[in-house]
Amino acid sequence: MSDFSESDFLSEEVLEQQRSKLVEGQGQNPSENRFMYRFSVEKRKWSKHTVDTKLPPTNTKTFAIATWNVDFSRGYLAKRLMTSLDHLQSLIEPLLVGDPPIPTIILIQELDDSLFRTLLQHPFVQKHYDLTDISSASWRIHYGTVTLAPRSLEVTSAFRTIFKSSRMGRDALFIDVSFPSEDTDDVRGDPRVIRVANVHLESLDGHGDIERPRQLEVVSSRLSEPGLHGGIVGGDMNPIGPRDDAVPGELGFVDGWTLCHDKQADNDTVEGVTATTPEEVKRRNAEGHTWGYQPPSRYPPRRMDKVLFVGNVTVKKIERFGVGLAVDPSKIKGKSTVWASDHYGLLATFEIV
């Protein structure tokens, strides 16, 4: 939840023009969008990269997803994004050299359209990632979502699905990732396709309370289409309304944070630690908050950001990151603390089942 102003909403004139052309949930056909953008060291530029080979990932069962709202609404945009990207690099590089290596998909929300240069010039991004977008051409407003997919993964499709009645230009950004099937008696089966959605659901109350369940339902239908082995959605869910906490379960999603941390609470109880006292419940709830501290807000802290999943995948571990992360003070002379983002990120490790 950033500090939105009138310029962050689509005008009624633009909304009406877009509504006349759109059907709720309409988007690109996955089978017709088979490219990402890749950086060429030789050409020193980003260009379309079409999937034309079958190169299995080094790890065919385990992968990770990092999701982060990087906050478009405050100053020092480039310095904050650079700080965020450096932090992501520090988290992901150890996973790349693990045994086995764990490729990590990055979901970014609230990237300002002025920050593509910063994103595209980061050495870690250039070396390891393909991008869904290298400009704001597919957005309907001045900020939006971008998904970064490791080069070691076979992305067979990247597409967006429009939320027709969004007043904030929101949509869902999907990639399809093809994992080799497990061989049985030396006979290779069909690839296992995992669809990953990147979302920033409608902000604020009022209209937002009506929109968010609709938007998540659209995402749910896309993640449950025939031929998919599993589906994952991560991002800023903005769960501030009366129904928001219940909707994921009603749609058949499993909440990664709840699954992992409820198991931990059960283990603590088994080991003799009381996990149901009011103080303990309050502490555990606070451990899940991803917004409301950097800086403190007039609104209560919340678990704004979530990773949900359906199908034949499961989360093995999920943790917050970016807690207390701020721009190096030497780069912002005369300024007190500048937080990298008002949101914490989430890093979730998944396993295909």
Side-chain angles (χ1 to χ4, degrees):
M1 178 186 289
S2 296
D3 294 332
F4 293 101
S5 64
E6 288 300 319
S7 64
D8 302 317
F9 293 80
L10 296 173
S11 68
E12 284 302 319
E13 180 181 4
V14 172
L15 276 171
E16 190 56 39
Q17 292 174 351
Q18 293 185 350
R19 286 169 182 157
S20 67
K21 300 176 183 178
L22 299 173
V23 176
E24 184 69 60
Q26 175 180 323
Q28 301 162 319
N29 183 346
S31 64
E32 296 175 353
N33 296 272
R34 308 185 68 83
F35 65 83
M36 299 279 281
Y37 292 91
R38 175 170 291 185
F39 183 75
S40 169
V41 176
E42 294 77 18
K43 297 180 181 179
R44 302 300 301 169
K45 70 176 185 178
W46 290 83
S47 56
K48 290 181 180 180
H49 171 70
T50 303
V51 177
D52 55 7
T53 59
K54 295 291 184 181
L55 298 176
T58 55
N59 180 332
T60 60
K61 196 169 185 178
T62 304
F63 61 98
I65 289 180
T67 179
W68 205 356
N69 179 322
V70 295
D71 183 16
F72 78 91
S73 68
R74 291 175 173 82
Y76 298 93
L77 284 169
K79 288 182 173 62
R80 289 195 295 105
L81 181 62
M82 184 62 71
T83 300
S84 300
L85 293 174
D86 289 347
H87 187 59
L88 282 168
Q89 179 177 351
S90 72
L91 295 172
I92 293 171
E93 278 187 330
L95 300 179
L96 294 177
V97 297
D99 184 19
I102 301 176
T104 303
I105 299 166
I106 301 174
L107 313 179
I108 293 178
Q109 303 92 43
E110 281 198 30
L111 183 75
D112 189 82
D113 58 9
S114 67
L115 291 177
F116 275 100
R117 183 182 182 89
T118 303
L119 176 65
L120 299 179
Q121 289 185 342
H122 197 281
F124 180 71
V125 175
Q126 291 180 347
K127 181 178 179 180
H128 293 286
Y129 281 93
D130 293 338
L131 275 58
T132 54
D133 302 83
I134 58 172
S135 76
S136 60
S138 64
W139 299 348
R140 295 194 287 162
I141 203 163
H142 68 92
Y143 64 92
T145 54
V146 177
T147 295
L148 289 65
R151 290 188 177 191
S152 61
L153 294 182
E154 183 185 340
V155 177
T156 59
S157 182
F159 63 100
R160 289 182 185 269
T161 292
I162 298 297
F163 298 142
K164 177 187 175 184
S165 53
S166 171
R167 293 179 179 174
M168 310 188 83
R170 304 290 167 83
D171 58 25
L173 172 58
F174 298 90
I175 60 171
D176 288 348
V177 185
S178 181
F179 293 86
S181 63
E182 294 182 324
D183 293 345
T184 303
D185 298 329
D186 295 327
V187 176
R188 190 175 181 82
D190 293 331
R192 299 170 293 179
V193 178
I194 305 298
R195 180 166 289 174
V196 179
N198 182 356
V199 299
H200 184 192
L201 300 185
E202 203 81 356
S203 303
L204 308 180
D205 54 11
H207 180 74
D209 293 338
I210 300 171
E211 266 303 295
R212 287 186 297 275
R214 292 175 179 171
Q215 293 172 353
L216 195 57
E217 184 175 7
V218 169
V219 173
S220 174
S221 66
R222 280 293 205 178
L223 295 183
S224 303
E225 291 179 351
L228 297 177
H229 193 77
I232 302 166
V233 54
D236 181 357
M237 307 282 179
N238 275 312
I240 62 173
R243 291 194 58 226
D244 288 322
D245 287 339
V247 170
E250 293 171 358
L251 294 173
F253 283 114
V254 178
D255 187 316
W257 183 273
T258 301
L259 177 67
C260 288
H261 291 268
D262 279 0
K263 286 181 179 178
Q264 182 61 49
D266 290 342
N267 291 338
D268 287 348
T269 301
V270 169
E271 294 170 5
V273 178
T274 302
T276 56
T277 65
E279 294 77 12
E280 182 65 15
V281 170
K282 183 178 180 180
R283 184 185 67 81
R284 287 195 179 278
N285 287 339
E287 287 178 349
H289 292 162
T290 61
W291 179 90
Y293 301 98
Q294 299 180 178
S297 170
R298 66 182 185 275
Y299 300 107
R302 290 181 183 270
R303 191 161 66 92
M304 289 285 194
D305 306 84
K306 298 182 181 181
V307 178
L308 314 173
F309 62 95
V310 294
N312 298 306
V313 291
T314 190
V315 67
K316 306 302 291 183
K317 180 181 180 182
I318 183 169
E319 299 295 342
R320 302 179 303 175
F321 63 84
V323 179
L325 183 67
V327 177
D328 183 342
S330 67
K331 298 179 180 179
I332 46 171
K333 296 179 180 179
K335 181 72 175 178
S336 58
T337 303
V338 174
W339 303 109
S341 175
D342 59 343
H343 285 249
Y344 304 152
L346 291 173
L347 178 61
T349 303
F350 278 89
E351 186 174 280
I352 299 175
V353 295

